[in-house]
Amino acid sequence: MKILVTGGAGFIGSHLVDALMERGHEVKVVDDLSAGSLENIKRWLDNERFEFIKGDLREPSVCSEAVKGVEAVFHLAANPEVRIGAQSPELLYETNVLLTYNILEAMKRENVEYLIFTSSSTVYGDAKIIPTPEDYAPLEPISVYGGVKLAAEALISGYAHTFDIKSLVFRLANIIGERSNHGVIYDFINKLKANPGELEILGDGTQRKSYLHVSDTVEAMLYLFERFKEEGKIFDVYNLGSEDWITVKEIAETVSKGMGLNPKFRFTGGVDGGRGWKGDVKFMRLSIEKAKAKGWKPRMNSYQAVERTVKELLG
Ligand SMILES: O=c1ccn([C@@H]2O[C@H](COP(=O)(O)OP(=O)(O)O[C@H]3O[C@H](CO)[C@H](O)[C@H](O)[C@H]3O)[C@@H](O)[C@H]2O)c(=O)[nH]1
């Protein structure tokens, strides 16, 4: 299959590209390299089944060029940083909603059959049911980031039903692993490198979430895409996460241990009852029963994924 991966030089995108190339697909990547890096995809740059386009998808002409000739688009290009929402709603809107609109328009023009979109657990906001199933309502995001992901999902559903773009949405838990260049584990490692004696923890440390290793994430996306194609549906949504959850304090302990350190923890206290920032969801664990019923389950739980990521990021 000829497949476009937007954001394919980024963290999750580059792992997806590895898996697609290893399975023999023709892969095109479009990335503006604002957060992604050519280093992540360098092993494929000279491969004849691989094509790289450096471009900003906010430009409709870049979208047209990117989707030309492909049968499926994995749309991962986005700004993934929840915490910038209070300062930069416009950036989150542009990189999540406008970008998705531009991709959908280009796909409509070029008659591309499949869209696979990486949404986020943040669409559920402070869910009252945990583990949270896909049909949980009302969807009430508490961050601008969650809001723009939900808006993008809604736009995709509308285009899917109106223009027959078969669309599959994944609501991701916190994805971690090699090549991640943001998020709590990455931050803790950098803070401890700068000051091995003390670790600042945002919030009260009791924020508890489900973490999924990127290798499990990519497996799930490709496996469930195959099932989606067999079923011939026009639109579907899956949660992807692990079945347990882990607190920020436990992550701090795991990172410290992995670095052979025993720092003093300093909790900032955070906002709104111990959140790291305004809009930080404090408790998140997704029901993955729907994906499990199709035959997927994660190989690593949150603890194992965190331990492995610490090793991978420390090299
Ligand atoms: O220096 C830090 C950094 C983070 N945290 C805490 O660690 C937790 C995780 O924060 P991350 O920045 O790692 O991740 P988020 O939960 O904000 O968001 C991540 O998971 C979401 C889905 O669950 C989205 O997909 C999003 O793109 C992705 O970055 C938060 O509760 C935060 O308060 C700290 O205590 N100190």
Side-chain angles (χ1 to χ4, degrees), residues 80 82-83 120-121 145 172-174 182-184 187-188 191 201-202 207 209 211 248 276-277 280 284:
V82 179
R83 63 186 101 168
S120 161
S121 72
Y145 176 84
L172 306 181
N174 286 41
H182 86 122
V184 61
D187 286 348
F188 283 171
K191 284 179 185 178
I201 297 174
L202 305 177
Q207 304 98 299
K209 307 193 197 200
Y211 291 77
V248 167
W277 48 81
D280 183 23
M284 182 277 291

Side-chain angles (χ1 to χ4, degrees), residues 190-226:
N190 286 333
K191 284 179 185 178
L192 284 170
K193 277 184 181 162
N195 181 2
E198 183 182 280
L199 178 61
E200 179 203 63
I201 297 174
L202 305 177
D204 63 8
T206 66
Q207 304 98 299
R208 187 186 285 267
K209 307 193 197 200
S210 155
Y211 291 77
L212 184 67
H213 194 267
V214 66
S215 56
D216 275 326
T217 313
V218 165
E219 275 290 323
M221 287 171 67
L222 294 179
Y223 178 79
L224 292 167
F225 178 43
E226 289 306 314

Side-chain angles (χ1 to χ4, degrees), residues 107-122:
M107 290 179 68
K108 185 182 92 181
R109 281 194 301 274
E110 298 292 330
N111 289 316
V112 181
E113 195 171 359
Y114 294 105
L115 173 64
I116 301 90
F117 176 64
T118 44
S119 183
S120 161
S121 72
T122 55

Side-chain angles (χ1 to χ4, degrees), residues 46-232:
D46 294 329
N47 192 299
E48 57 185 16
R49 284 187 285 116
F50 185 78
E51 186 186 341
F52 174 70
I53 300 168
K54 182 176 183 307
D56 186 337
L57 295 167
R58 282 175 285 197
E59 284 295 324
S61 60
V62 173
C63 291
S64 296
E65 189 197 346
V67 306
K68 217 160 242 137
V70 305
E71 292 154 83
V73 175
F74 282 77
H75 179 37
L76 278 67
N79 188 313
E81 202 68 77
V82 179
R83 63 186 101 168
I84 66 166
Q87 295 81 40
S88 314
E90 191 180 344
L91 180 63
L92 286 183
Y93 166 76
E94 282 187 0
T95 56
N96 288 283
V97 187
L98 179 64
L99 230 66
T100 301
Y101 166 76
N102 283 349
I103 283 287
L104 285 164
E105 275 294 305
M107 290 179 68
K108 185 182 92 181
R109 281 194 301 274
E110 298 292 330
N111 289 316
V112 181
E113 195 171 359
Y114 294 105
L115 173 64
I116 301 90
F117 176 64
T118 44
S119 183
S120 161
S121 72
T122 55
V123 300
Y124 296 116
D126 284 329
K128 291 181 189 71
I129 299 173
I130 289 180
T132 312
E134 288 86 351
D135 58 3
Y136 174 84
L139 293 174
E140 187 181 334
I142 61 162
S143 60
V144 173
Y145 176 84
V148 295
K149 282 295 187 189
L150 184 54
E153 279 191 20
L155 202 55
I156 289 168
S157 173
Y159 268 72
H161 289 281
T162 310
F163 303 111
D164 297 326
I165 299 172
K166 294 177 192 130
S167 301
L168 180 58
V169 169
F170 292 111
R171 292 182 180 150
L172 306 181
N174 286 41
I175 311 303
I176 54 176
E178 198 173 357
R179 303 180 200 153
S180 65
N181 57 2
H182 86 122
V184 61
I185 300 175
Y186 177 84
D187 286 348
F188 283 171
I189 289 175
N190 286 333
K191 284 179 185 178
L192 284 170
K193 277 184 181 162
N195 181 2
E198 183 182 280
L199 178 61
E200 179 203 63
I201 297 174
L202 305 177
D204 63 8
T206 66
Q207 304 98 299
R208 187 186 285 267
K209 307 193 197 200
S210 155
Y211 291 77
L212 184 67
H213 194 267
V214 66
S215 56
D216 275 326
T217 313
V218 165
E219 275 290 323
M221 287 171 67
L222 294 179
Y223 178 79
L224 292 167
F225 178 43
E226 289 306 314
R227 304 290 79 74
F228 178 73
K229 283 194 285 186
E230 288 163 9
E231 289 164 0

